[in-house]
Amino acid sequence: MKKAAIVLVALVICLSSVLPCFAIDDPGFVDAAEKAKGPLVYLTDITGRVGGKKNVSAKLMFANAEGFTGGDFVIQYNPYMLEYAGFTPSADIGNANVYINYTEKTGPDVLDIYGNIAHEVYISLIHMEHFDKDLATCEIGTVSFKPIGGGECPLELTAMSFDVEGKDVKVDVRGATAVIKGEEASTWDYTAITSALIEIGDDSPFVVERAKNMPLWAIIALVIGAVAVFAVIVLFVIRGKNYVAD
């Protein structure tokens, strides 16, 4: 009996060292991580009901992310069903040398840059060095929502960028689903009204999605070039006027 207890304790310790505690509670994440050929960004499903005392939440998690140096992620949701209630970084990230920036605005009256109801959560991560083995599989944080309408809607997860050792790499992305009990809410068109920098795919639960925006250095170069061309045109006009006057 004593030997059996020792073996059981040893087995538990072994499993704990291999799998994070949160992964054991989410079989879908474990399965997705095993199938992923490279880094995986994963969002857990959520369930709840309108009028409940507690908000609902989805966990954002990484797998096979050793060497990760930075990335930008967007979560889109149906604003008629869910009201964004905030993002909480995990202890894994809080104790690491990671700079994190995320959407802070909340409330039903918040509009995006296009004047539409806010329906996107932005999360940006930068590691001062890179994710080590201990962070290769980890929880990034928890996204919370207040249920305001019933039905089922996707939580579209987009990896706008995912850098390993400073280089952009392919990453498997697994979005989630929200199921809320209550009076049926209006649907939301994810493709018709969305950020111009995001491409949403619906052909597979595992989608590698990229932002179509230009890099910052290219934008700056274009602006400088445009200013230079404008200055040259103005100079020629001024010289032309002076020549006629002479």
Side-chain angles (χ1 to χ4, degrees):
M1 185 71 179
K2 191 174 182 180
K3 289 184 177 180
I6 294 175
V7 172
L8 181 60
V9 171
L11 181 60
V12 171
I13 293 174
C14 180
L15 287 174
S16 299
S17 64
V18 175
L19 292 174
C21 60
F22 65 87
I24 296 175
D25 295 332
D26 196 308
F29 174 69
V30 176
D31 182 61
E34 291 176 349
K35 292 179 179 178
K37 297 180 180 180
L40 168 70
V41 184
Y42 184 97
L43 193 66
T44 59
D45 296 329
I46 59 177
T47 58
R49 64 184 180 86
V50 179
K53 295 181 180 180
K54 294 183 179 180
N55 290 331
V56 296
S57 59
K59 290 183 178 180
L60 180 65
M61 299 185 284
F62 281 3
N64 310 323
E66 184 175 356
F68 173 80
T69 49
D72 300 285
F73 312 95
V74 178
I75 300 170
Q76 293 194 88
Y77 57 94
N78 182 346
Y80 298 127
M81 277 183 57
L82 302 170
E83 181 182 307
Y84 175 62
F87 177 81
T88 304
S90 70
D92 293 333
I93 297 301
N95 295 329
N97 194 17
V98 178
Y99 172 78
I100 182 168
N101 188 30
Y102 48 87
T103 299
E104 294 182 341
K105 292 183 178 181
T106 61
D109 299 325
V110 177
L111 303 179
D112 65 14
I113 59 175
Y114 303 103
N116 303 311
I117 301 173
H119 60 286
E120 299 172 339
V121 181
Y122 291 84
I123 302 168
S124 179
L125 297 168
I126 298 177
H127 197 287
M128 296 300 100
E129 295 179 2
H130 59 260
F131 276 26
D132 55 22
K133 292 182 179 180
D134 293 336
L135 284 175
T137 298
C138 67
E139 178 184 329
I140 300 301
T142 302
V143 186
S144 298
F145 298 96
K146 176 183 177 181
I148 57 176
E152 179 177 321
C153 77
L155 300 177
E156 295 277 10
L157 174 62
T158 303
M160 298 177 70
S161 65
F162 194 98
D163 296 343
V164 174
E165 302 296 351
K167 296 181 179 180
D168 194 32
V169 301
K170 292 183 178 180
V171 55
D172 283 339
V173 178
R174 197 278 191 183
T177 301
V179 179
I180 306 298
K181 294 182 179 179
E183 184 177 351
E184 197 78 14
S186 299
T187 57
W188 183 258
D189 188 342
Y190 288 78
T191 58
I193 306 176
T194 185
S195 170
L197 304 183
I198 302 171
E199 179 182 12
I200 298 300
D202 55 4
D203 56 331
S204 168
F206 295 91
V207 183
V208 180
E209 298 173 287
R210 299 285 175 199
K212 290 186 175 180
N213 59 314
M214 299 178 65
L216 181 60
W217 64 266
I219 295 175
I220 295 174
L222 283 176
V223 172
I224 294 175
V227 172
V229 171
F230 180 75
V232 170
I233 293 174
V234 171
L235 183 61
F236 271 106
V237 170
I238 293 175
R239 285 186 174 181
K241 288 184 177 179
N242 290 340
Y243 180 79
V244 171
D246 291 341

